[in-house]
Protein backbone atom coordinates (compact mmCIF):
# COMPACT_ATOMS: atom_id res chain seq x y z
CA UNK A 1 0.00 0.00 0.00
CA UNK A 2 2.75 2.36 0.72
CA UNK A 3 4.23 1.50 -2.62
CA UNK A 4 0.98 2.20 -4.21
CA UNK A 5 0.66 5.40 -2.30
CA UNK A 6 4.11 6.43 -3.48
CA UNK A 7 3.36 5.51 -7.01
CA UNK A 8 0.15 7.31 -6.68
CA UNK A 9 1.99 10.43 -5.47
CA UNK A 10 4.54 10.12 -8.25
CA UNK A 11 1.74 9.68 -10.72
CA UNK A 12 -0.09 12.73 -9.33
CA UNK A 13 3.10 14.81 -9.49
CA UNK A 14 3.71 13.69 -13.05
CA UNK A 15 0.09 14.44 -13.85
CA UNK A 16 0.40 17.95 -12.34
CA UNK A 17 3.63 18.50 -14.22
CA UNK A 18 2.01 17.46 -17.48
CA UNK A 19 -1.01 19.61 -16.79
CA UNK A 20 1.26 22.62 -16.14
CA UNK A 21 3.16 21.87 -19.34
CA UNK A 22 -0.08 21.66 -21.28
CA UNK A 23 -1.26 24.90 -19.65
CA UNK A 24 2.07 26.57 -20.48
CA UNK A 25 1.90 25.23 -24.03
CA UNK A 26 -1.68 26.45 -24.37
CA UNK A 27 -0.66 29.75 -22.86
CA UNK A 28 2.32 29.96 -25.22
CA UNK A 29 0.14 28.94 -28.17
CA UNK A 30 -2.49 31.48 -27.17
CA UNK A 31 0.19 34.05 -26.61
CA UNK A 32 1.59 33.38 -30.06
CA UNK A 33 -1.89 33.65 -31.60
CA UNK A 34 -2.57 36.78 -29.59
CA UNK A 35 0.79 38.21 -30.60
CA UNK A 36 0.11 37.41 -34.26
CA UNK A 37 -3.33 38.97 -34.02
CA UNK A 38 -1.91 42.01 -32.25
CA UNK A 39 0.63 42.45 -35.06
CA UNK A 40 -2.13 42.16 -37.64
CA UNK A 41 -4.24 44.67 -35.72
CA UNK A 42 -1.26 47.02 -35.55
CA UNK A 43 -0.84 46.73 -39.32
CA UNK A 44 -4.55 47.23 -40.03
CA UNK A 45 -5.07 50.24 -37.73
CA UNK A 46 -3.15 52.73 -39.95
CA UNK A 47 -4.84 51.30 -43.03
CA UNK A 48 -8.25 51.80 -41.41
CA UNK A 49 -7.23 55.32 -40.40
CA UNK A 50 -6.14 56.06 -43.99
CA UNK A 51 -9.40 54.63 -45.33
CA UNK A 52 -11.38 56.85 -42.95
CA UNK A 53 -9.37 59.90 -44.03
CA UNK A 54 -9.86 59.05 -47.70
CA UNK A 55 -13.60 58.55 -47.12
CA UNK A 56 -13.88 61.91 -45.32
CA UNK A 57 -11.88 63.64 -48.08
CA UNK A 58 -14.04 62.03 -50.77
CA UNK A 59 -17.19 63.03 -48.87
CA UNK A 60 -16.00 66.65 -48.65
CA UNK A 61 -15.12 66.66 -52.35
CA UNK A 62 -18.50 65.18 -53.24
CA UNK A 63 -20.22 67.81 -51.13
CA UNK A 64 -18.23 70.59 -52.81
CA UNK A 65 -18.87 69.11 -56.25
CA UNK A 66 -22.56 68.77 -55.50
CA UNK A 67 -22.72 72.38 -54.35
CA UNK A 68 -20.83 73.47 -57.47
CA UNK A 69 -23.25 71.59 -59.72
CA UNK A 70 -26.22 73.03 -57.83
CA UNK A 71 -24.83 76.55 -58.24
CA UNK A 72 -24.27 75.99 -61.97
CA UNK A 73 -27.79 74.63 -62.45
CA UNK A 74 -29.28 77.59 -60.58
CA UNK A 75 -27.22 80.03 -62.65
CA UNK A 76 -28.26 78.38 -65.92
CA UNK A 77 -31.89 78.30 -64.75
CA UNK A 78 -31.76 82.02 -64.02
CA UNK A 79 -30.21 82.70 -67.44
CA UNK A 80 -32.87 80.62 -69.20
CA UNK A 81 -35.62 82.27 -67.17
CA UNK A 82 -34.29 85.74 -68.05
CA UNK A 83 -34.02 84.77 -71.72
CA UNK A 84 -37.54 83.33 -71.66
CA UNK A 85 -38.93 86.51 -70.12
CA UNK A 86 -37.09 88.61 -72.70
CA UNK A 87 -38.43 86.46 -75.54
CA UNK A 88 -41.95 86.65 -74.13
CA UNK A 89 -41.69 90.44 -73.86
CA UNK A 90 -40.35 90.72 -77.43
CA UNK A 91 -43.01 88.33 -78.74
CA UNK A 92 -45.78 90.38 -77.09
CA UNK A 93 -44.31 93.54 -78.60
CA UNK A 94 -44.08 91.96 -82.07
CA UNK A 95 -47.61 90.60 -81.77
CA UNK A 96 -48.95 94.08 -80.97
CA UNK A 97 -46.94 95.55 -83.85
CA UNK A 98 -48.27 92.90 -86.26
CA UNK A 99 -51.85 93.65 -85.20
CA UNK A 100 -51.26 97.37 -85.63
CA UNK A 101 -49.78 96.88 -89.11
CA UNK A 102 -52.53 94.46 -90.11
CA UNK A 103 -55.18 96.95 -89.01
CA UNK A 104 -53.37 99.70 -90.94
CA UNK A 105 -53.31 97.57 -94.11
CA UNK A 106 -57.02 96.82 -93.64
CA UNK A 107 -57.76 100.54 -93.33
CA UNK A 108 -55.72 101.34 -96.42
CA UNK A 109 -57.41 98.60 -98.46
CA UNK A 110 -60.76 99.35 -97.02
CA UNK A 111 -62.45 97.45 -94.26
CA UNK A 112 -64.98 95.91 -96.64
CA UNK A 113 -63.67 94.22 -99.74
CA UNK A 114 -65.82 92.73 -102.44
CA UNK A 115 -64.64 89.85 -104.60
CA UNK A 116 -66.27 88.28 -107.62
CA UNK A 117 -65.70 84.80 -109.00
CA UNK A 118 -67.01 83.64 -112.34
CA UNK A 119 -67.48 79.92 -112.62
CA UNK A 120 -66.46 77.97 -115.71
CA UNK A 121 -69.24 76.58 -117.92
CA UNK A 122 -70.77 73.39 -116.55
CA UNK A 123 -70.73 70.04 -118.41
CA UNK A 124 -74.43 70.45 -119.16
CA UNK A 125 -73.87 73.90 -120.71
CA UNK A 126 -71.03 72.54 -122.83
CA UNK A 127 -73.17 69.53 -123.96
CA UNK A 128 -76.02 71.87 -125.05
CA UNK A 129 -73.59 74.04 -126.98
CA UNK A 130 -73.91 77.07 -124.72
CA UNK A 131 -70.22 77.89 -125.00
CA UNK A 132 -70.71 81.46 -126.10
CA UNK A 133 -69.30 83.63 -123.43
CA UNK A 134 -71.30 86.61 -122.32
CA UNK A 135 -68.75 87.54 -119.65
CA UNK A 136 -65.51 89.43 -120.28
CA UNK A 137 -62.79 90.95 -118.12
CA UNK A 138 -61.76 94.29 -119.62
CA UNK A 139 -59.38 95.38 -116.80
CA UNK A 140 -58.08 94.07 -113.53
CA UNK A 141 -60.95 94.14 -111.04
CA UNK A 142 -63.64 94.67 -113.71
CA UNK A 143 -66.22 92.35 -115.19
CA UNK A 144 -68.49 93.07 -118.19
CA UNK A 145 -71.63 91.18 -119.08
CA UNK A 146 -73.41 91.33 -122.44
CA UNK A 147 -76.90 89.97 -122.78
CA UNK A 148 -78.02 90.57 -126.31
CA UNK A 149 -78.73 94.29 -126.40
CA UNK A 150 -77.52 95.22 -122.90
CA UNK A 151 -73.91 95.72 -121.85
CA UNK A 152 -72.94 96.34 -118.20
CA UNK A 153 -69.55 96.68 -116.42
CA UNK A 154 -68.94 96.33 -112.69
CA UNK A 155 -65.83 97.03 -110.61
CA UNK A 156 -64.72 94.90 -107.64
CA UNK A 157 -61.71 94.80 -105.39
CA UNK A 158 -60.72 91.60 -107.16
CA UNK A 159 -62.28 89.51 -109.95
CA UNK A 160 -61.47 85.84 -110.40
CA UNK A 161 -62.03 84.51 -113.94
CA UNK A 162 -62.93 81.03 -115.22
CA UNK A 163 -59.39 79.71 -114.83
CA UNK A 164 -58.88 80.75 -111.19
CA UNK A 165 -58.26 77.85 -108.82
CA UNK A 166 -59.45 77.43 -105.25
CA UNK A 167 -55.86 77.86 -104.06
CA UNK A 168 -55.53 81.24 -105.79
CA UNK A 169 -58.77 82.43 -104.27
CA UNK A 170 -57.88 81.17 -100.81
CA UNK A 171 -54.45 82.83 -100.89
CA UNK A 172 -56.16 86.14 -101.60
CA UNK A 173 -58.81 85.92 -98.90
CA UNK A 174 -56.92 83.92 -96.23
CA UNK A 175 -55.58 87.09 -94.61
CA UNK A 176 -59.12 88.26 -94.01
CA UNK A 177 -60.45 85.04 -92.57
Amino acid sequence: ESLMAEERKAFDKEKEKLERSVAKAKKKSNTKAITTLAKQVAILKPQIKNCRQEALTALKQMSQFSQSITDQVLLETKKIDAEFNDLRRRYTHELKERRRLHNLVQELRGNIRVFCRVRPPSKLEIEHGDTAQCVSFPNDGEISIENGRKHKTWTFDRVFDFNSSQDQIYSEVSELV
Side-chain angles (χ1 to χ4, degrees):
E1 271 187 41
S2 88
L3 187 60
M4 240 171 128
E6 277 182 39
E7 267 189 46
R8 178 105 177 144
K9 260 185 184 181
F11 178 76
D12 285 341
K13 278 185 183 182
E14 191 64 35
K15 182 180 169 190
E16 281 179 28
K17 200 177 186 187
L18 284 173
E19 283 177 350
R20 275 188 241 136
S21 282
V22 168
K24 277 185 186 181
K26 279 186 181 177
K27 196 173 186 182
K28 254 187 188 179
S29 177
N30 285 345
T31 304
K32 274 187 180 180
I34 290 172
T35 305
T36 305
L37 288 175
K39 286 179 183 178
Q40 289 176 348
V41 167
I43 292 170
L44 291 175
K45 273 187 179 181
Q47 291 176 354
I48 291 170
K49 188 176 180 180
N50 285 341
C51 286
R52 282 185 182 155
Q53 279 299 84
E54 288 175 9
L56 287 173
T57 303
L59 188 61
K60 285 180 185 177
Q61 288 175 348
M62 284 176 39
S63 176
Q64 291 170 349
F65 181 71
S66 174
Q67 185 62 42
S68 172
I69 294 294
T70 302
D71 292 344
Q72 288 176 359
V73 167
L74 286 174
L75 181 64
E76 286 299 315
T77 302
K78 286 179 182 178
K79 284 180 185 178
I80 290 170
D81 193 39
E83 186 177 345
F84 174 75
N85 288 334
D86 182 53
L87 287 172
R88 182 187 300 168
R89 181 189 53 78
R90 288 174 39 203
Y91 172 75
T92 303
H93 174 73
E94 292 300 320
L95 190 61
K96 287 177 183 176
E97 181 65 12
R98 187 193 68 75
R99 282 189 194 137
R100 186 187 70 78
L101 291 174
H102 176 73
N103 290 338
L104 180 63
V105 167
Q106 288 300 330
E107 281 182 34
L108 294 175
R109 282 185 172 173
N111 286 337
I112 299 175
R113 295 179 31 186
V114 180
F115 296 147
C116 175
R117 180 181 188 196
V118 178
R119 68 168 177 78
S122 70
K123 290 181 184 178
L124 186 61
E125 290 171 333
I126 293 172
E127 287 175 5
H128 283 76
D130 294 337
T131 56
Q133 303 268 334
C134 63
V135 178
S136 63
F137 308 97
N139 293 314
D140 191 32
E142 289 185 358
I143 183 172
S144 291
I145 299 179
E146 284 186 43
N147 187 4
R149 55 191 195 296
K150 290 184 180 179
H151 177 74
K152 279 209 145 192
T153 302
W154 288 276
T155 304
F156 296 95
D157 289 310
R158 177 74 197 262
V159 175
F160 296 97
D161 65 9
F162 306 112
N163 300 321
S164 297
S165 69
Q166 287 293 105
D167 290 335
Q168 290 171 328
I169 295 167
Y170 182 75
S171 68
E172 185 70 30
V173 300
S174 63
E175 295 174 7
L176 303 175
V177 177

